[in-house]
Amino acid sequence: EKFAALFQLSPIPMTITAVADGSFRDVNEAFVRVSGYSREEAIGSSSLKLGIFANPADRIALAERIQSQGLVTAAPIVCRNKQGDLVDTLTSASVVTIGGQPYFIAGITDITALKRAEAAVHNQHAAMAALLENIDGSIWSVDRDYRLIAGNTLFHRNIQDLLGSAYTIGEDVLSRGNAGEMNRVWRGHYDRAFLGEKFSIETPRPIAHSVQWMEYRFNPIRDGAGQITGVTVFGRDITERKQAE
């Protein structure tokens, strides 16, 4: 009785299916809510008959794993509900004996919202990367410890030309020993932005036998609470403008 109460009250969809033919012996209310099938529709039927597994081969593979290992935890399975919508799940199951007969008892965690959020973040990062690469200039960001968060190809190429090798993500951009005076100057710029100031500077940069003039714009990065967590810097070549002045 205690097991039955826990089974029915669990917020995680749970099922008990016969090992012999895969028919449902019982399902809980959470399963009914997520799958869209009533207990009457499910009990006596099977996941294959109801088309719950988006890929029926996953059910066969899962059953084989449970029987060989005795327990399977957090197996990624794509299911399909009664409405035909795909549901991403992590399924855990084991074999239990009820009335002398073997059954699979399974807990099914719906991670569809999490997967969609992950996909949205991935798409956002891809869009941001594309935006950075299409900017006509170098752009990069550092955190409060001066560690590189992101940078476009032009930024990395400029650093490669200037210091002999590009920075890696997470590297302290002021750590290169061969750039002592330059590091001191740039630390001052970053620290100004860390105090909340938004500003720009113009500075010459020696290149081969000529001088390239650069403009750098510093913008503090703020989190949702308004706290400054880093700085983004945009650099562009203003040599032609300076020569015309």
Side-chain angles (χ1 to χ4, degrees), residues 3-42:
F3 170 80
L6 290 172
F7 179 84
Q8 290 299 334
L9 292 173
S10 171
I12 297 174
M14 298 189 71
T15 65
I16 298 175
T17 58
V19 171
D21 60 7
S23 62
F24 288 112
R25 175 187 174 115
D26 203 356
V27 299
N28 68 355
E29 288 304 315
F31 172 85
V32 171
R33 183 181 67 255
V34 171
S35 71
Y37 291 101
S38 67
R39 295 184 74 248
E40 292 73 22
E41 289 175 307

Side-chain angles (χ1 to χ4, degrees), residues 161-240:
D161 294 341
L162 187 64
L163 300 179
S165 62
Y167 291 124
T168 58
I169 299 299
E171 181 179 353
D172 181 348
V173 298
L174 303 179
S175 64
R176 300 290 178 91
N178 58 338
E181 177 59 21
M182 183 173 66
N183 287 342
R184 185 190 66 78
V185 173
W186 276 90
R187 183 186 298 273
H189 297 326
Y190 289 132
D191 289 347
R192 280 180 65 185
F194 288 149
L195 292 175
E197 186 176 353
K198 182 178 179 181
F199 62 96
S200 65
I201 63 169
E202 295 180 0
T203 183
R205 187 176 75 171
I207 295 181
H209 302 293
S210 63
V211 174
Q212 179 187 43
W213 277 88
M214 296 292 299
E215 178 189 56
Y216 295 105
R217 299 175 184 175
F218 293 78
N219 292 277
I221 302 171
R222 299 179 184 272
D223 62 16
Q227 299 298 310
I228 296 173
T229 60
V231 175
T232 293
V233 185
F234 170 68
R236 67 188 183 99
D237 187 341
I238 57 170
T239 304
E240 289 187 6

Side-chain angles (χ1 to χ4, degrees), residues 43-147:
I43 295 174
S45 187
S46 70
S47 59
L48 292 178
K49 290 179 180 178
L50 295 177
I52 288 176
F53 283 83
N55 180 4
D58 286 344
R59 195 271 174 192
I60 298 172
L62 181 64
E64 290 176 348
R65 284 183 59 192
I66 300 169
Q67 289 181 297
S68 64
Q69 301 173 16
L71 174 68
V72 170
T73 58
I77 302 290
V78 179
C79 297
R80 181 178 284 107
N81 63 21
K82 187 176 181 179
Q83 292 72 39
D85 301 321
L86 295 180
V87 180
D88 289 292
T89 76
L90 292 178
T91 299
S92 300
S94 63
V95 179
V96 296
T97 300
I98 302 175
Q101 298 297 317
Y103 289 87
F104 296 132
I105 181 168
I108 306 158
T109 303
D110 182 356
I111 60 168
T112 305
L114 176 61
K115 295 285 284 187
R116 288 176 179 170
E118 289 176 347
V121 170
H122 174 77
N123 291 338
Q124 185 179 38
H125 285 174
M128 181 60 68
L131 177 63
L132 292 178
E133 293 304 325
N134 281 286
I135 289 176
D136 186 21
S138 60
I139 187 168
W140 70 98
S141 297
V142 299
D143 64 16
R144 292 298 298 252
D145 294 317
Y146 312 103
R147 293 175 301 197

